[in-house]
Amino acid sequence: QLRIDVHSIQWKRVLDIESRFLRHIVVGLGGKAGGIPYESGFEITTASEIAAIHALALDLMDLKRRMGEITVAYNVDGEPVKARDLKAEGAMAILMKEAVKPNLVQTIEHTPAFIHGGPFANIAHGCPSLAAIKLALKLADYVVVEPGFGADLGLEKFCDIACRVGGLKPDLVVLVATAKALKRHGGVRRRDLKTPNPEAVERGLPILGKEIENVKLFGLLPVVCINRFPFDAEEELDVILDYCGERGVPAAVSEVAARGGKGGVDLAKEVLHQLERRRADFRFLYPLDLPVEEKIRTIATKAYGVSDIELLPEARRAVRRIRRLGLEGMPINMAKTSLSLTDDERRKGLPSEGYVLRVTDLRPMTGAGFIVAYCGEINTMPALPTHPAAERMDIDEEGRITGLI
Amino acid sequence: QLRIDVHSIQWKRVLDIESRFLRHIVVGLGGKAGGIPYESGFEITTASEIAAIHALALDLMDLKRRMGEITVAYNVDGEPVKARDLKAEGAMAILMKEAVKPNLVQTIEHTPAFIHGGPFANIAHGCPSLAAIKLALKLADYVVVEPGFGADLGLEKFCDIACRVGGLKPDLVVLVATAKALKRHGGVRRRDLKTPNPEAVERGLPILGKEIENVKLFGLLPVVCINRFPFDAEEELDVILDYCGERGVPAAVSEVAARGGKGGVDLAKEVLHQLERRRADFRFLYPLDLPVEEKIRTIATKAYGVSDIELLPEARRAVRRIRRLGLEGMPINMAKTSLSLTDDERRKGLPSEGYVLRVTDLRPMTGAGFIVAYCGEINTMPALPTHPAAERMDIDEEGRITGLI
Amino acid sequence: QLRIDVHSIQWKRVLDIESRFLRHIVVGLGGKAGGIPYESGFEITTASEIAAIHALALDLMDLKRRMGEITVAYNVDGEPVKARDLKAEGAMAILMKEAVKPNLVQTIEHTPAFIHGGPFANIAHGCPSLAAIKLALKLADYVVVEPGFGADLGLEKFCDIACRVGGLKPDLVVLVATAKALKRHGGVRRRDLKTPNPEAVERGLPILGKEIENVKLFGLLPVVCINRFPFDAEEELDVILDYCGERGVPAAVSEVAARGGKGGVDLAKEVLHQLERRRADFRFLYPLDLPVEEKIRTIATKAYGVSDIELLPEARRAVRRIRRLGLEGMPINMAKTSLSLTDDERRKGLPSEGYVLRVTDLRPMTGAGFIVAYCGEINTMPALPTHPAAERMDIDEEGRITGLI
Amino acid sequence: QLRIDVHSIQWKRVLDIESRFLRHIVVGLGGKAGGIPYESGFEITTASEIAAIHALALDLMDLKRRMGEITVAYNVDGEPVKARDLKAEGAMAILMKEAVKPNLVQTIEHTPAFIHGGPFANIAHGCPSLAAIKLALKLADYVVVEPGFGADLGLEKFCDIACRVGGLKPDLVVLVATAKALKRHGGVRRRDLKTPNPEAVERGLPILGKEIENVKLFGLLPVVCINRFPFDAEEELDVILDYCGERGVPAAVSEVAARGGKGGVDLAKEVLHQLERRRADFRFLYPLDLPVEEKIRTIATKAYGVSDIELLPEARRAVRRIRRLGLEGMPINMAKTSLSLTDDERRKGLPSEGYVLRVTDLRPMTGAGFIVAYCGEINTMPALPTHPAAERMDIDEEGRITGLI
């Protein structure tokens, strides 16, 4: 009766298991008793649109409404079939009724924290739940939010999607830098990352510069946090500190990993100092009423620093469908590798002059309320290595677990 | 390196979701990145061999050992590939470390009960966990265990599998009878079951007689519990009581559903009375050293009352493999419909003279420690109806849930 | 627009290639450009209903009409979708316009013969084309027809299907017997068949008796042709001759294979002698107005000598559909192994007392005009052996071919 | 034993049937009896490498050798598995032994012609067989060869592949132009092509100029043949004649379609005149010892006029494999749309400034002896339209066929 087009089923099943074998499957086989055959696949649970909705919903009713708005498929006339057409949103909301509540945990030093919401940043906006952030804002003077990935991805999505939906106005951005990551962008191979190499750190600095620039694009105050590793050389950290100093960007070394809360006091003081001294002037990177392609171009050229974007044929068809369905006013959620400013994870450092980012496909997430723009090769079902970590795990009769890390 | 034969992969993935679309699938598509193509399917979680192991394991180490013994596949030489060959049992045991502990709940009248273990009785032994039963035996004077389905299936599996593994010796069996079920076996159509019809109850009684006989086959004391429904007519219940009376089988009407614990006092007294008066002489239906086919024949002819069994070609091949692998000493777990004493769910009442039960396939469950004998058409992945119950479920902003029942 | 049910597509593609890999396939994958996914398979060309139609059509227009009547699929309401609903019969007839004409060949002794029509006897009626037989009847005094397989299959199908459609009245049946085949039915293993063993021939004779009986069932005159192999022992042939002699059945040894036409003179004389002396009284085995199940039972009990038949659930459903569609008046085409009188190719000799033949499925071939009854495991796509004959074939630069036989 | 990697099976089955449903299939299903599952597809017969080999083989032994060299798959170590490893080339050669002989036909005016060899120009070199051309060269003073598609594709492949393999030296190229095609490249929509529009012809002329340039790239003499259609306007043809006249390129109007051989006399005279007057200086577009990527770049920039090429990741991987296998010395066979000079069939006229042609994949055809370079979206299994031509075809009882055209 819903006249669903088997080629337009958007909804994939999810599992909290990583398996390349479930990426591409044909379901519905075995004759009549097996349903109708169609090509499908599994995604990991966090890649589900429900994970994104969970992190954007303001309360249970908003969650239910958004889940009802999920586009499950298109019918043979190209019109969306939504979860509410399947009368599924009530049952879904029942399943999620506890999950919608922020859950409070504490660090081993008893600092309270919410760990709530984890949409897969590869494909969703990758930020903690708005419900948790809003609750935290009522409970504390300062609230620190950790979006997934760097200032090209996590920061952009937090500002343009989460803050827009939640009406949030952030003030300051703590940019985490490590000598190791800068060396990687400076051309050092993975296995040599623990060897001191201040020159390579130097070569990697432009990417830190880009991230600082991104913070300013949103009208926010940057503070660079240099996350110290035990194998970092003093000269390497100095290179970073000097770079920030020359540009007037506040910076501090954090030793939280080694020394706990004490190791972060310098950074915290610097953050408070900046918040007292200066005022942020938060703004979005793009207005919602730009055409879809322009919104993507703005993000790509401004936040990633590439020269232009190109929509491949599939993506162009998707833009036409989005326009036809009147969905072009939603914000953009970039699905892009986090290992490069470009869509090619092997390209380190700043994008080369003239680099064109390729958008392979677009998909309106009508429940989450954004349009995912797929760039390069993004995978929503990870594969296990030849020897998965599980092989080394064990538990003895006293219940002692080994091999987890 | 394991040289797995793609046609001999025994292990299916499971999900706690009912979907005909996942019964028969082809996984591993999409080229090299998608793994190796093979035909597979999903089962519901309770149909997993792990659910059976969980209900038979005596402690965490036994659970781990048994999970390591699961036959995941056969290699190209026909030798079993076990979960421990994949080094999976440690990680599996970690995941199950809390699940292995019996969980105590209480009724609304505060009677304690363990709800622990639920292997799918269609395909596994369908009894609560041995761990819970054994713990209960230490805590209470009388322990009531509820195996899935009737005295042909649940009772037989409890006695021949669970009691054998756990060294248990039951005393008495409460056989639950309803006028409704007897009318169904007496030829009444589903929609007419609420209309009083003592003659139909009468016609259905032979099946109760068979169940009573089965209890005695195991050397146990039967007490018939007549579970009263609001629409039952007094004459209908009398028919059952008379039948038991004539045969000297103790019986009592239970009104627990309507009146709570009070409604079960008569039955409880009768049970205690019998336990004081008589002694059970528990025995198994078959010894483990019979050939596989003979064990199945014994169960089918004695517990179901059919004339004989026939092994279809696939089952004959399986018997040869079981013998070759030295696994013929395990008990048999019958996978058979619960809606008939035969393998054909439409046949009501006692099996007709000369009825031959067909065994379509056999599968050694080397972790659980039994051989599943598939009879008729048994499905391990249920399908949803055209209008699943979920369509009627909802939750409002106060969190009030409707439509669950 | 045809509202075809993807599960009810009856029509399979065919290829003149043997490959197990094409038996079960999923087609229509690869997204929208690949069509609609469904489960299918390839059959070898002779297994196509078109091959059967070709051998039954009286002329091109009859061929076209019959091809238009082929049931390609069923729609979602269970009504047949025919080739003419796809407007395919015109184009099909164009492709077949030359193939419909009988083609005359000659033996190396210049005896004329038609080789025309070869429907796969496993699944179709396995007789040469009616067009060729009828043309031959106009051109010669005696016409010899060779239907596929023995007097249980080929003879029955020739009489009950081909003769019925073509209005033919045969007179006499030449039953070909070999010492080798009788030894096989007498329990000799394949590798020992060339060793003289008159006792085994003796043990195999009841099957020859059954074939003789079958000839008489159709009111026809039997002549046994003993096809001599170079390794046959004289005593073995004598055993057969004696058996026929005792029963008054004419018999002659044929040495055509070794000596050409000369080797068949005795047999030919015997055939002519019988035709002069006696008159056949041809009759069908069953009338068309029997219920489908009765027609099958008649064939199975009379022509095969089994005790009864059993329709498995799929076959019962098919009977109901055939009745609903008003197709029960068509003759039956048995799809059964030719290696046994039963449906189990390993059972040699006469069927054992009480043997029940299993009918697994039925399919109305509305173009050919018969109902195929599938018994046991019949395959319409043969598989190649590990080392196919092709491996030994070669051709040299002079065009000399080796390895064909 | 061959240790074939199921993901690296190169060989697809072919059928002389167009069906989108066979483009992407999964074969080998149905358990053990169905082989090993893998993803595959069918191609139309002419897309088979055998069609290309047939058109390049000099004799039966060369054909056999080349078929034995076909790369059927790669093994798990990445080494090629060839048809001769399957011992298939002998049987294949037997099947092809008649097909290798050129077949002579005649026009309705009794002009002799060979019609022999038709490799699918989309994916193969698209030229008649070398065997036929060489035989024709022995029999006639002038031999006209018709390669598939325009001077960007057919001419280039004929010169760089067929002439190279066959040692041929062509003299002159008859470039066929139509007003209709030039109007299409001049921006006229398909439905308006029969309306006179000399301005549009004018706008399309640069593509004729490019084709003329291509002829000269190979050192050959161009003669433009204007193939007249009944609906062509005189002014349209004049536009073309003027264009050629201005550039000193000989041209003639051909009316062969309407008037038979007489209609081609002018053209034939012009061709003979040019052959007497001038001498060709035939040369290849690229030497075989260029790196693979450079060979492709040379063809694309010189013959198509694009600015550059780009190898997508799959193609880059393929280049590495080709190099590893030592196959980089083979000529290139471009698989590209014939509807545009670019890889995008919608782009008409000359490629725009800066256009980069995308090479998506490469495949070494080790039997045919060339490397196929796939550009854009090339399909080797055509699809039928919603209403295939077959629907309109019919044959009557006199054998009269209608609806073929």
Side-chain angles (χ1 to χ4, degrees), chain B residues 25-76:
Chain B
I25 66 178
V26 178
V27 301
L29 301 176
K32 214 151 203 161
I36 304 284
Y38 70 94
E39 297 177 272
S40 189
F42 274 80
E43 299 178 331
I44 54 165
T45 304
T46 52
S48 167
E49 186 173 353
I50 292 175
I53 291 174
H54 171 255
L56 289 171
L58 300 174
D59 55 32
L60 183 60
M61 288 301 102
D62 187 31
L63 182 87
K64 187 169 90 171
R65 184 191 58 77
R66 285 173 177 272
M67 291 196 300
E69 282 298 316
I70 291 172
T71 303
V72 172
Y74 293 93
N75 68 17
V76 291

Side-chain angles (χ1 to χ4, degrees), chain A residues 72-149:
Chain A
V72 172
Y74 292 92
N75 68 17
V76 291
D77 300 326
E79 289 156 2
V81 176
K82 301 208 164 168
R84 61 176 149 76
D85 296 324
L86 305 176
K87 298 180 194 147
E89 78 275 29
M92 289 161 84
I94 292 171
L95 289 172
M96 299 287 285
K97 81 182 168 57
E98 297 304 318
V100 80
K101 300 174 188 164
N103 52 335
L104 189 64
V105 299
Q106 56 184 326
T107 69
I108 47 175
E109 289 178 341
H110 308 302
T111 312
F114 288 110
I115 298 191
H116 191 241
F120 196 38
N122 273 356
I123 194 175
H125 65 292
C127 304
S129 79
L130 282 180
I133 296 171
K134 284 176 164 268
L135 186 53
L137 284 168
K138 288 188 187 151
L139 298 170
D141 296 329
Y142 301 96
V143 174
V144 181
V145 173
E146 187 190 1
F149 304 148

Side-chain angles (χ1 to χ4, degrees), chain B residues 5 7 26 29-32 35 39, chain D residues 5 7 26 29-32 35 39:
Chain B
D5 172 7
H7 293 303
V26 178
L29 301 176
K32 214 151 203 161
E39 297 177 272
Chain D
D5 172 6
H7 292 303
V26 178
L29 301 176
K32 212 151 203 159
E39 297 178 89

